[in-house]
């Protein structure tokens, strides 16, 4: 995988590594940011449209901002029409998204799942945005082991935190459910993810489902 011209390590080194939620999946990796990590709206829209037009089932959106974009809304709505589930990070500013919406997570579209983060102790992550009506569910997003460019970390792995780590857990679960419940549409997949959660008091009032995703329960 090439990220801004630097090869990243996707294979275990010295017997260590990471494994995803779904082991049998094809990933369409689309680069919408520049080398500094900045994303232009036109590039985001182009990437969403490309994914929707080329067979993507789920889009993971680990980015966001507080400016509403009708063009971005229209692109995600186009993905909805094409049968694509859109999983979005809720943000890392300890912000109430009900009061100050974070986009794309807060667009009022029923193909979006907005994801907050929990920590390694199954508590609501201190940095995570929240929203009792506009953020849907919690997923692990603290001290998450992931691959990195080799120049950044000698073994090609490091731990990261953020709702950008939580959102891919939900995207992976969505594809896992699509494989298992092959006749379900994206709305049934979304409802399954948000219904079969671990409802814990520490998440009550922070997200609409009051819970953290539970892949085993959703499959069962």
């Amino acid at each position: 995988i090439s990220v801004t011209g630097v090869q990243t390590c996707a294979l275990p080194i010295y017997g260590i590594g990471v494994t995803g939620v779904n082991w049998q999946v094809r990933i369409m990796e689309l680069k919408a940011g520049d080398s500094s990590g900045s994303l232009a709206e036109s590039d985001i829209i182009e990437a969403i449209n490309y994914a929707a037009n080329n067979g993507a089932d789920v889009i993971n959106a680990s980015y966001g901002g507080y400016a509403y974009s009708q063009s971005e809304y229209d692109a995600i709505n186009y993905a909805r029409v094409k049968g694509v589930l859109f999983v979005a990070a809720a943000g890392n500013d300890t912000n109430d998204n009900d009061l100050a919406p974070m986009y794309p997570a807060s667009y009022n579209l029923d193909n979006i799942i907005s994801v907050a983060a929990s920590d390694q102790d199954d508590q609501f992550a201190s940095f995570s945005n929240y929203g009792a009506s506009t953020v849907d569910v919690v997923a692990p997003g603290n001290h998450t082991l992931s691959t990195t460019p080799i120049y950044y970390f000698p073994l090609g792995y490091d731990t990261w935190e953020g709702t950008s780590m939580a959102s891919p857990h939900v995207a992976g679960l969505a594809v896992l459910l699509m494989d298992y419940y092959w006749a379900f549409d994206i709305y049934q997949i979304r409802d399954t993810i948000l219904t079969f959660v671990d409802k814990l008091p520490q998440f009550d009032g922070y997200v609409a489902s009051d819970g953290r995703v539970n892949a085993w329960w959703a499959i069962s």
Side-chain angles (χ1 to χ4, degrees), residues 4-85:
T4 64
V6 178
Q7 294 299 313
T8 65
C9 177
L11 296 176
I13 299 178
Y14 305 121
I16 67 173
V18 296
T19 185
V21 177
N22 188 344
W23 294 6
Q24 299 183 31
V25 64
R26 291 182 299 169
I27 297 176
M28 181 189 298
E29 185 153 337
L30 303 177
K31 180 174 178 284
D34 61 21
S35 59
S36 68
S38 299
L39 288 85
E41 180 181 295
S42 58
D43 293 332
I44 292 170
I45 292 167
E46 184 179 358
I48 294 171
N49 288 336
Y50 183 94
N53 288 328
N54 287 275
D57 295 304
V58 179
I59 292 174
N60 178 70
S62 286
Y63 70 92
Y66 294 97
Y68 180 94
S69 166
Q70 186 62 49
S71 297
E72 184 180 41
Y73 176 99
D74 292 342
I76 300 170
N77 187 50
Y78 175 71
R80 180 189 65 82
V81 172
K82 299 287 283 188
V84 181
L85 190 64

Side-chain angles (χ1 to χ4, degrees), residues 8 17 19 21-22 27 30 33 39 41 58 60 65 91 97-98 111 115 117 123 125 129 147 157-158 160 191 204 207:
T8 65
T19 185
V21 177
N22 188 344
I27 297 176
L30 303 177
L39 288 85
E41 180 181 295
V58 179
N60 178 70
N97 287 4
D98 291 357
N111 65 323
V115 185
Q123 300 296 313
N129 286 8
T147 54
Y157 302 96
D158 201 357
W160 299 83
D191 287 346
D204 186 18
V207 295

Side-chain angles (χ1 to χ4, degrees), residues 21-22 57-58 85 87 113 168-180 189-190 193:
V21 177
N22 188 344
D57 295 304
V58 179
L85 190 64
V87 183
I113 300 178
H169 281 93
V170 178
L173 174 56
V175 179
L176 183 66
L177 292 174
M178 288 176 176
D179 186 42
Y180 193 77
I189 295 296
R190 184 181 186 276
I193 292 172

Side-chain angles (χ1 to χ4, degrees), residues 100-164:
M102 172 84 170
Y103 301 107
S106 295
Y107 288 123
N108 187 24
L109 289 167
D110 57 7
N111 65 323
I112 293 177
I113 300 178
S114 175
V115 185
S118 58
D119 65 18
Q120 66 273 23
D121 296 316
D122 220 6
Q123 300 296 313
F124 200 82
S126 60
F127 55 80
S128 180
N129 286 8
Y130 56 94
S133 62
T134 58
V135 179
D136 295 305
V137 73
V138 179
N142 199 42
H143 295 297
T144 306
L145 187 66
S146 185
T147 54
T148 65
I150 291 177
Y151 76 89
Y152 182 83
F153 191 70
L155 296 181
Y157 302 96
D158 201 357
T159 54
W160 299 83
E161 65 179 28
T163 56
S164 290

Side-chain angles (χ1 to χ4, degrees), residues 188-211:
Q188 291 171 298
I189 295 296
R190 184 181 186 276
D191 287 346
T192 300
I193 292 172
L194 301 185
T195 299
F196 297 98
V197 298
D198 285 330
K199 291 182 180 290
L200 301 172
Q202 56 265 39
F203 304 137
D204 186 18
Y206 283 94
V207 295
S209 66
D210 294 329

